[in-house]
Amino acid sequence: MRAEAFVECPVAHPTLMVRTDVLRAAGYRDEHWPEDYDLVLRLLGQGREIGVVPRRLLAWRDGPRRLWRAGEAYRLERFTACKAAFLAAHFLAGSDRYVLWGYGPTGRALRRALARHGKRPSHVVEVHPGRIGEIIHGAPVISVDELRAHPRRPLVAAVAGERPRREIRDALSALGFRETQDFVCAA
């Protein structure tokens, strides 16, 4: 799994298997968000590699009262809070300003969560022509083409959907941006 994929699948719940020594070294913490998601982000932050086993290793009953379906820590906004804390501590650690691509429900929620860590968008990239030129929370809305004219800051793409993220990756790669160094997809 690519390291940047940490942010792309908050509602899927794959089985997490970790070597005992790695798990002991990482430790447990309760931040009132999904502890398994937090663990994966912390492992990625430590430079650990993770992967997907292409076959089922175990099966269990999954009912509507399972913690990950019904617990407060597993609400979507708690995933967003976890993601924002990780982004603020790692990808955005060197800057209090970043470029936000997308301002739909996902982008709005992530912007609010990042603001709690002192991170504010300098610009918002939008593909909808009607939004270009607007100001969102002090950040001018610009087109993809206008990215070239602005100082390069870390870019957080907060657009849901595999196809739109692929299009964003392609557009940013064409502009010379490198995923995980210059931008991350965080939807």
Side-chain angles (χ1 to χ4, degrees):
M1 178 181 287
R2 292 189 318 238
E4 67 279 358
F6 71 89
V7 291
E8 294 188 16
C9 193
V11 286
H13 196 270
T15 302
L16 179 61
M17 298 184 128
V18 181
R19 292 168 112 23
T20 303
D21 60 321
V22 172
L23 186 56
R24 281 192 181 125
Y28 174 82
R29 70 180 193 174
D30 184 1
E31 298 288 333
H32 305 290
W33 53 49
E35 67 275 0
D36 47 355
Y37 191 59
D38 176 72
L39 175 62
V40 167
L41 296 181
R42 288 187 294 124
L43 292 174
L44 289 170
Q46 294 169 4
R48 300 277 185 180
E49 292 185 21
I50 63 173
V52 176
V53 177
R55 61 185 171 84
R56 182 166 46 168
L57 299 176
L58 61 95
W60 68 85
R61 291 179 186 240
D62 184 20
R65 295 188 311 189
R66 294 229 8 184
L67 182 60
W68 76 271
R69 288 188 186 272
E72 290 293 311
Y74 284 81
R75 293 188 334 244
L76 185 57
E77 55 269 17
R78 298 309 301 151
F79 277 98
T80 303
C82 182
K83 189 183 311 180
F86 183 80
L87 287 168
H90 295 279
F91 182 68
L92 299 175
S95 175
D96 62 341
R97 305 287 279 177
Y98 65 97
V99 175
L100 176 64
W101 185 317
Y103 203 69
T106 303
R108 285 191 298 274
L110 190 57
R111 184 206 57 82
R112 283 190 302 271
L114 284 168
R116 292 182 196 108
H117 296 275
K119 308 297 181 179
R120 306 245 184 276
S122 62
H123 297 84
V124 175
V125 177
E126 183 59 66
V127 295
H128 189 281
R131 292 195 109 170
I132 308 299
E134 291 181 1
I135 304 290
I136 298 176
H137 295 279
V141 179
I142 61 173
S143 69
V144 177
D145 292 332
E146 291 177 273
L147 274 175
R148 289 186 183 103
H150 296 282
R152 188 170 286 191
R153 289 197 164 99
L155 187 144
V156 176
V159 177
E162 183 180 341
R163 194 182 101 241
R165 282 193 301 271
R166 186 175 50 250
E167 291 170 1
I168 289 169
R169 283 182 172 111
D170 292 345
L172 290 173
S173 293
L175 292 173
F177 284 72
R178 297 161 301 159
E179 193 162 9
T180 72
Q181 284 96 27
D182 302 318
F183 77 95
V184 293
C185 291

